[in-house]
Amino acid sequence: MQPRQVTVCLPALNEAATVGRIVRTIGRELVDRGIVDEILVVDDGSTDGTPEVAKAAGARVVAADGSEPGAAAGKGAAMRTGLAASRGDVVVYCDADVRNFAPHFVTRLIEPLADPDVVFVKAYYDRPLHDDPHGGGRVTELVAKPLISLLFPDLTAIRQPLAGECAGRREALEALDFAPGYAVDLALVIDLAERHGMEAIAQADLGVRVHRNRTLDQLSDQSRSIIAMVLQRAGIALPDRSRPAAVGTVLPA
């Protein structure tokens, strides 16, 4: 049996402040020790020098399909590009804006894949917000979890359904259509559970994760894309915006 190859893929959009340290940590602590075989940064139209910083730190850098400087293709497209460009039998996705990144963000994700029945591993962690050690994850708590409980109750055991840190077997990931934008993180769980069952999805405790918190405007866009994806996966049609609204009907913004 051939030893498995592991790729760490970092989708990145304007993460020059953090991506270099993450790449160097993976290179020093995991590549040099033979745990990881490849570091791949997928740049999604950055304008702050993210590709140059990542390359200088030791990553292979590719552009997300459909992106160009100043025009992002979205996280789903970046993750799909990373899968196609990677060489690993196991692909680990980590967000590039994490400020307290450590090697266990990767090792704890790949450990459960030693079980041949596990095809996907999802991270969970505490997410501080300002002075509140558990105040992060606003879209998770206010949007994703309520939707899951109503429409996909079998998935309520997933503690961080929107976690950007995950790992999967190549053959399982290649069979999926990656949802666009930030909806991709939850869509992967829904789609893999449908194909393989919840017993094929493991979870890994990463401890505490500190990252760049987004504004409410940014979270609103993220929430909209997640809601649309979940309704679509549940077979619920969205309003047809091409038709005039009935009197008293307000279409979603």
Side-chain angles (χ1 to χ4, degrees):
M1 181 177 181
Q2 292 292 325
R4 66 182 181 183
Q5 299 254 318
V6 176
T7 294
V8 176
C9 177
L10 303 167
L13 171 58
N14 291 330
E15 306 297 356
T18 49
V19 71
R21 178 185 174 276
I22 293 173
V23 170
R24 287 191 295 273
T25 299
I26 297 170
R28 180 179 64 250
E29 301 293 338
L30 301 175
V31 175
D32 290 351
R33 293 167 56 194
I35 298 171
V36 167
D37 301 279
E38 178 184 36
I39 310 170
L40 179 66
V41 170
V42 182
D43 181 62
D44 192 18
S46 297
T47 58
D48 69 342
T50 290
E52 293 79 10
V53 171
K55 186 175 181 179
R60 182 162 67 95
V61 179
V62 298
D65 291 343
S67 71
E68 56 187 49
K75 187 176 183 183
M79 292 178 69
R80 184 172 59 248
T81 298
L83 178 64
S86 66
R87 298 187 289 264
D89 308 301
V90 169
V91 180
V92 181
Y93 290 102
C94 290
D95 285 343
D97 65 342
V98 176
R99 297 173 180 171
N100 66 325
F101 184 88
H104 73 269
F105 276 46
V106 175
T107 56
R108 291 185 186 176
L109 285 170
I110 61 179
E111 284 169 3
L113 292 169
D115 181 344
D117 294 328
V118 173
V119 303
F120 188 70
V121 184
K122 191 76 163 173
Y124 66 91
Y125 34 65
D126 289 328
R127 296 179 63 181
L129 178 65
H130 308 309
D131 295 329
D132 184 349
H134 308 291
R138 290 164 287 174
V139 177
T140 295
E141 300 301 328
L142 297 174
V143 178
K145 286 185 176 180
L147 281 171
I148 290 169
S149 68
L150 290 170
L151 300 174
F152 293 96
D154 291 346
L155 303 184
T156 55
I158 302 295
R159 298 178 61 171
Q160 289 282 357
L162 303 185
E165 284 73 26
C166 61
R169 300 187 189 278
R170 170 175 293 281
E171 62 270 20
L173 295 173
E174 286 181 335
L176 304 179
D177 292 324
F178 281 56
Y182 288 105
V184 65
D185 292 316
L186 177 52
L188 288 175
V189 175
I190 294 173
D191 295 346
L192 286 165
E194 181 180 4
R195 285 176 173 267
H196 301 279
M198 270 295 293
E199 62 276 9
I201 299 176
Q203 299 184 74
D205 183 1
L206 302 190
V208 177
R209 178 185 185 274
V210 180
H211 70 134
R212 172 172 49 83
N213 291 301
R214 300 183 184 276
T215 66
L216 286 178
D217 285 345
Q218 292 171 322
L219 295 181
S220 178
D221 290 340
Q222 182 179 356
S223 298
R224 185 181 295 109
S225 68
I226 291 166
I227 291 168
M229 180 278 297
V230 172
L231 293 178
Q232 187 271 329
R233 291 296 197 275
I236 300 172
L238 290 171
D240 183 354
R241 298 190 184 193
S242 66
R243 295 180 297 183
V247 174
T249 300
V250 178
L251 292 180

